[in-house]
Amino acid sequence: MEIQHLAGATSFFPGKVNVGCFEREGEVWFVDSGLDDEAGRRLARWVESEGKKLRCVVTTHSNADHCGGNAFLRRRTGCSAAATPLEACIIENTFMEPLLLWGAFPFAEITNRFLQAKPSRVDVLIIAPGAFDDSGLKAVPLPGHFLDMVGILTPDDVFFVADSVFSEALLEKYRIMFVMDVQAELETLDLLERTSAAWFVPSHADATRDIGPLAAANRRTLMMVSEAVLDCCSEPVARDEIVKRLGQRFGLSMTISEFLLNSAAVAAHLTWLRGQAQVAPVVEDGLLLWRRTP
């Protein structure tokens, strides 16, 4: 398994989801665990091949591609897991991720490994900001993307920033990036631009010494989507219709899971636009519609 050293005792495993690695006195802390059992198995094999002990999986948030390897790693190594209280609730009850997207207990097509990881226990609750155990790692709140996401700063000044930003290639491909709170995401992007670190490691982009350009690209894409949602509200329109129109506008084809992710993101933009007094909800003919305010 490829590992890329960054500074001091901090490295990461590059992949579709970058997994952080911090070592101290023969013990290892991972930052996230990847999508599934296979991701966890690869990480466990690396720990075993190095003759080290996996102390903890520090989970930035409860999306399945970040905690999907937790159950396997706990079972194989006996390690602990850490997360913030809200994210821990979903890690331990993973049906709640698709439930949040659908608004009710999930149907079969959305109980897949991309939306619903295997449930696993969280032993250490992270109350951010600050330290949460004796490792020297510090949690930094990065709200916006999910319920209570954190980044992890190592003693080597390496900042694992989770899903606070995405690569420009992903921004170009998907356009509608998943977000639950647009205002909080904007504030997180501002925070990243003000923060100094030797390295920044997003979960879905290359490690970089300068996060500024990527934060700016994510802000532009976020605002482009908000403007597109606002354009759709020139006449009263339902959320599903907005998702459809954005798909047409950006040339997107969607699976059922992708539709629900995009629908949730559109809802976040509508909430933000409502807070800016740019749109208002109304029920007409039994439909919840959104229209631009005069």
Side-chain angles (χ1 to χ4, degrees):
M1 189 174 188
E2 178 188 1
I3 188 169
Q4 183 173 329
H5 178 256
L6 292 172
T10 305
S11 307
F12 78 105
F13 300 94
K16 289 185 176 180
V17 180
N18 295 326
V19 173
C21 180
F22 178 72
E23 302 177 53
R24 196 193 72 174
E25 299 176 354
E27 294 185 317
V28 173
W29 285 255
F30 286 145
V31 180
D32 293 332
S33 64
L35 178 64
D36 53 18
D37 281 357
E38 184 53 36
R41 184 176 291 107
R42 289 194 297 268
L43 292 169
R45 287 173 177 167
W46 179 86
V47 171
E48 292 161 359
S49 70
E50 294 291 313
K52 301 181 185 296
K53 176 185 177 182
L54 180 58
R55 171 80 174 270
C56 184
V57 179
V58 185
T59 314
T60 61
H61 63 298
S62 58
N63 287 171
D65 58 338
H66 292 260
C67 68
N70 284 28
F72 181 91
L73 286 169
R74 285 182 58 85
R75 187 169 63 249
R76 174 93 159 233
T77 71
C79 70
S80 64
T84 58
L86 282 176
E87 303 291 353
C89 183
I90 295 181
I91 293 167
E92 295 186 338
N93 304 276
T94 52
F95 72 91
M96 292 178 66
E97 183 176 354
L99 184 150
L100 278 172
L101 296 175
W102 176 235
F105 275 82
F107 52 92
E109 286 80 0
I110 60 172
T111 57
N112 56 60
R113 67 190 180 118
F114 299 103
L115 296 182
Q116 184 172 334
K118 290 183 177 179
S120 60
R121 182 181 171 189
V122 174
D123 313 274
V124 180
L125 292 180
I126 297 173
I127 308 301
F132 48 88
D133 65 8
D134 61 355
S135 63
L137 300 174
K138 294 181 179 179
V140 179
L142 297 176
H145 174 72
F146 210 54
L147 296 177
D148 194 17
M149 187 176 75
V150 292
I152 302 299
L153 182 65
T154 80
D156 303 308
D157 202 29
V158 176
F159 192 7
F160 292 95
V161 298
D163 284 4
S164 57
V165 291
F166 296 90
S167 71
E168 293 198 51
L170 290 175
L171 296 175
E172 178 66 25
K173 180 178 181 180
Y174 293 109
R175 301 297 182 94
I176 309 171
M177 307 310 296
F178 184 80
V179 62
M180 294 198 79
D181 185 333
V182 171
Q183 181 61 41
E185 176 64 17
L186 290 170
E187 293 169 2
T188 287
L189 294 172
D190 290 343
L191 170 70
L192 291 178
E193 289 178 326
R194 297 193 307 268
T195 300
S196 297
W199 285 97
F200 296 86
V201 187
S203 296
H204 303 284
D206 293 337
T208 180
R209 290 188 179 274
D210 182 5
I211 200 68
L214 193 55
N218 276 260
R219 184 186 293 104
R220 285 194 301 271
T221 299
L222 192 67
M223 290 296 90
M224 176 193 68
V225 173
S226 268
E227 290 167 7
V229 171
L230 184 58
D231 286 346
C232 291
C233 297
S234 296
E235 59 184 16
V237 62
R239 177 171 35 151
D240 282 0
E241 180 64 23
I242 296 175
V243 177
K244 174 187 172 182
R245 292 183 190 180
L246 294 187
Q248 293 170 338
R249 181 170 180 162
F250 298 137
L252 305 176
S253 60
M254 304 178 214
T255 64
I256 293 172
S257 295
E258 288 168 340
F259 183 92
L260 287 182
L261 289 166
N262 288 339
S263 180
V266 165
H269 285 279
L270 288 168
T271 296
W272 184 73
L273 290 167
R274 179 68 186 91
Q276 300 291 313
Q278 295 189 67
V279 299
V282 61
V283 175
E284 292 183 1
D285 297 326
L287 289 174
L288 177 61
L289 305 178
W290 292 85
R291 61 186 177 195
R292 192 168 189 159
T293 54

